Amino acid sequence: MRSAVRRRAITAGTSLAVVAGLCLATATSSSASTSPAPSAGSSSDRLYIDVAGTAAQAAASRTGQARADALAMANQPTARWFTKGTPAEVRASVDAYVSSAAADGSVPVLVAYDLPFRDCSQYSAGGAADTAAYAAWIDAMAAGIGHRKATVILEPDGLGIIPFNTDINGNAEWCQPAEADPATAVANRYAQFNHAVDSFKKNAATKVYLDAGNTNWLSVGDITDRLIKAGVQRADGWFVNSSNYGPTDQSAKYSSWISQCLDLVTNAGYQPAWCASQYYPASPGDFSTWALTDAAYATAYANANRTPDPATMKHGVIDTSRNGKGYWTPPAGKYSDAETWCNPPGRGLGDLPTLSTGDAYVDALLWIKIPGESDGKCYRGTGGPTDPERGIEDPDAGQWFDQLARELVQNAKVALPTPTCKVTQVTSKAWHGAFVSSVVVKNTGKTAIKGWKLTFAFSGTQKAKADLGAKITQGGQVVTATSVPLTSTIAPGRSIAFGYLGTGADAGLNPAVHVLNGQACA
């Protein structure tokens, strides 16, 4: 037994010795470059790529085309959903996630999804037991963020689906769960939202956006009325098209109308019910008519002797994760309930996530829904268990769906960016609770990289210990390797290498996603 352990120690030392030699050789050859160093970006203009998210996990556990599709989505900034757990658990999870983004110097997007009677106890049923439990959970999530930068997407569908609600026209809505009290359900929902807004906004660096549905749902006046009651004036705005497929231009138009309706209601004595919308004077199914609603707002502002100033108004963000092909139009007469929102076929990835939209009414384009995750088991009015549009049984909501992922990548609206770096990581199998990992980073771009951080995530409870050629730090599953003087410059076409020792019997597969200075590598 001692001899076996000794051989293992020699192997580990030899691996790091090879890394050391490669570090020295590549650092020497790259230092002659005089190409300008690219900016690593800053937390004010870059969204966080979740190296430990569900897309990264899917890529790590797959091969071939399925792996490539998952990796294509994992290499883009996506939101992290927080949907359950005790206050202590969610605080720790949020802290670890936001810490990883802070170390990377980018902005994390978090989805808070734990309202009582979430999704009216349908596909995504669950949530906190009551208002007090929800408030404690939200406070813990806010504490996990602390004073760091973050963007919070507050409760998808939370204002679109309210138990025992009556819409702006006085019509009773369909969500009436037996467990809810009809006398208090609506007031409770708004109290929950207002508490969440105030809790998150104690940190000025946290941006908070409330649910505004999508263009096929509530009218502008109806959602504006709900946003006001939910405390939008103290938040940063709203999000549109979460987990949906509406085209970006339609969502942007809809969001601009909410902004103007809110401004008129707040500052010009308007009533939400007076606000023009996608339903009037426009026709919802004919985007060419939406200019009529633009004109209606222009008239309303003229009558109010007021000029819209987007710089002083609330704005929206848009989920573009799956809207590259817009809404799905099902075959006429084929289904009694086509469930157009549920894993529709032939959809594509939409515009890439960005904080620079060029639209004064839109703060960001985000991938709120994780593309590649199933919407649930879709029966389209049949008895199931298969999805008649696909001929297979769809995965449960939130589970990875290889067929859906393939369609989204194949039909993407824009070309996915080509990485300008390549990472090769080789990790030994664990032996007596220890393993060795060597990492080679190649600059495939045209400018030198001067100073770098590389992040990736372990698959379990592994811990990085000794390092060589880089400074290794770790928070939760996420590992950050920072350059040292010997390896700090990587000239175009050149590589550097570093290594580390790790502990953990479950070393598993090598990480699928590596992010260098905020940009995903091949």
Side-chain angles (χ1 to χ4, degrees):
M1 181 61 69
R2 289 183 179 179
S3 61
V5 174
R6 176 61 179 166
R7 284 197 301 271
R8 182 61 180 171
I10 292 173
T11 301
T14 302
S15 297
L16 289 182
V18 170
V19 170
L22 184 54
C23 287
L24 180 59
T26 54
T28 302
S29 62
S30 64
S31 61
S33 171
T34 58
S35 301
S39 170
S42 69
S43 58
S44 63
D45 60 11
R46 182 155 52 76
L47 292 163
Y48 178 59
I49 297 176
D50 188 358
V51 295
T54 55
Q57 295 172 27
S61 62
R62 283 160 173 76
T63 60
Q65 188 63 58
R67 175 185 170 88
D69 292 336
L71 190 58
M73 291 178 275
N75 282 345
Q76 303 305 317
T78 55
R80 173 76 70 89
W81 288 60
F82 295 87
T83 65
K84 59 184 179 180
T86 66
E89 289 169 341
V90 76
R91 176 173 180 168
S93 297
V94 168
D95 179 40
Y97 177 64
V98 176
S99 294
S100 298
D104 178 66
S106 53
V107 180
V109 179
L110 303 84
V111 179
Y113 193 54
D114 196 45
L115 276 172
F117 304 107
R118 184 176 70 200
D119 197 31
C120 202
S121 303
Q122 296 185 106
Y123 289 81
S124 299
D130 51 36
T131 298
Y134 182 70
W137 190 86
I138 285 292
D139 290 346
M141 192 172 175
I145 295 172
H147 296 289
R148 296 168 294 191
K149 287 191 175 183
T151 292
V152 174
I153 302 300
L154 187 57
E155 300 295 344
D157 294 343
L159 292 178
I161 304 175
I162 301 175
F164 290 98
N165 189 57
T166 300
D167 70 18
I168 200 170
N169 297 314
N171 301 311
E173 296 184 338
W174 62 271
C175 179
Q176 300 180 6
E179 301 83 359
D181 183 350
T184 61
V186 175
N188 287 344
R189 177 58 56 90
Y190 287 123
Q192 292 152 12
F193 264 94
N194 275 277
H195 178 86
V197 169
D198 290 338
S199 185
F200 285 120
K201 290 305 294 182
K202 287 178 181 178
N203 172 25
T206 297
K207 291 190 174 183
V208 182
Y209 296 92
L210 282 58
D211 171 43
N214 60 73
T215 61
N216 273 353
W217 200 351
L218 300 175
S219 70
V220 172
D222 199 343
I223 192 57
T224 300
D225 181 60
R226 300 181 194 206
L227 287 166
I228 291 171
K229 293 174 180 175
V232 73
Q233 293 97 329
R234 305 187 310 282
D236 293 273
W238 48 86
F239 57 93
V240 175
N241 204 49
S242 172
S243 302
N244 218 281
Y245 299 86
T248 302
D249 55 357
Q250 293 184 23
S251 294
K253 186 72 70 176
Y254 178 68
S255 187
S256 73
W257 295 338
I258 296 173
S259 185
Q260 293 176 66
C261 179
L262 178 63
D263 179 51
L264 290 168
V265 169
T266 304
N267 298 298
Y270 232 61
Q271 296 297 316
W274 302 347
C275 292
S277 75
Q278 73 275 36
Y279 296 110
Y280 184 81
S283 174
D286 184 357
F287 188 56
S288 68
T289 68
W290 287 29
L292 297 174
T293 294
D294 285 332
Y297 278 100
T299 299
Y301 269 98
N303 291 339
N305 194 29
R306 183 175 177 80
T307 301
D309 179 11
T312 64
M313 297 159 68
K314 301 292 183 181
H315 307 149
V317 298
I318 301 171
D319 185 353
T320 61
S321 59
R322 306 185 297 176
N323 72 348
K325 291 291 184 180
Y327 293 115
W328 173 53
T329 302
K334 186 175 180 180
Y335 303 117
S336 60
D337 180 5
E339 296 178 330
T340 58
W341 55 270
C342 191
N343 299 332
R347 301 306 89 195
L349 298 172
D351 294 299
L352 298 178
T354 180
L355 294 173
S356 301
T357 68
D359 187 324
Y361 289 102
V362 179
D363 287 345
L365 305 180
L366 303 175
W367 284 11
I368 297 173
K369 170 71 175 181
I370 311 301
E373 287 186 358
S374 174
D375 293 315
K377 295 184 182 297
C378 313
Y379 301 150
R380 312 195 192 283
T382 69
T386 62
D387 180 345
E389 195 62 26
R390 296 178 178 279
I392 59 174
E393 185 174 353
D394 297 345
D396 289 330
Q399 299 302 304
W400 197 259
F401 193 175
D402 288 328
Q403 187 179 105
L404 179 66
R406 174 85 286 263
E407 294 169 0
L408 291 171
V409 173
Q410 190 174 33
N411 299 317
K413 178 181 178 180
V414 297
L416 298 176
T418 301
T420 57
C421 53
K422 180 180 180 180
V423 174
T424 303
Q425 183 165 354
V426 178
T427 302
S428 69
K429 291 184 178 180
W431 181 270
H432 290 275
F435 60 90
V436 179
S437 189
S438 60
V439 185
V440 177
V441 183
K442 183 176 182 179
N443 180 357
T444 58
K446 297 181 178 180
T447 57
I449 300 170
K450 296 185 177 182
W452 51 265
K453 286 185 178 181
L454 182 75
T455 58
F456 54 90
F458 285 140
S459 59
T461 59
Q462 305 93 335
K463 299 293 182 183
K465 299 294 183 179
D467 51 46
L468 181 63
K471 180 182 178 182
I472 302 290
T473 57
Q474 184 175 348
Q477 291 178 290
V478 177
V479 178
T480 300
T482 305
S483 61
V484 296
L486 185 66
T487 61
S488 62
T489 299
I490 315 175
R494 297 288 188 173
S495 302
I496 60 89
F498 66 90
Y500 60 90
L501 298 177
T503 60
D506 52 350
L509 298 172
N510 285 311
V513 178
H514 295 83
V515 175
L516 185 71
N517 289 348
Q519 303 297 320
C521 295

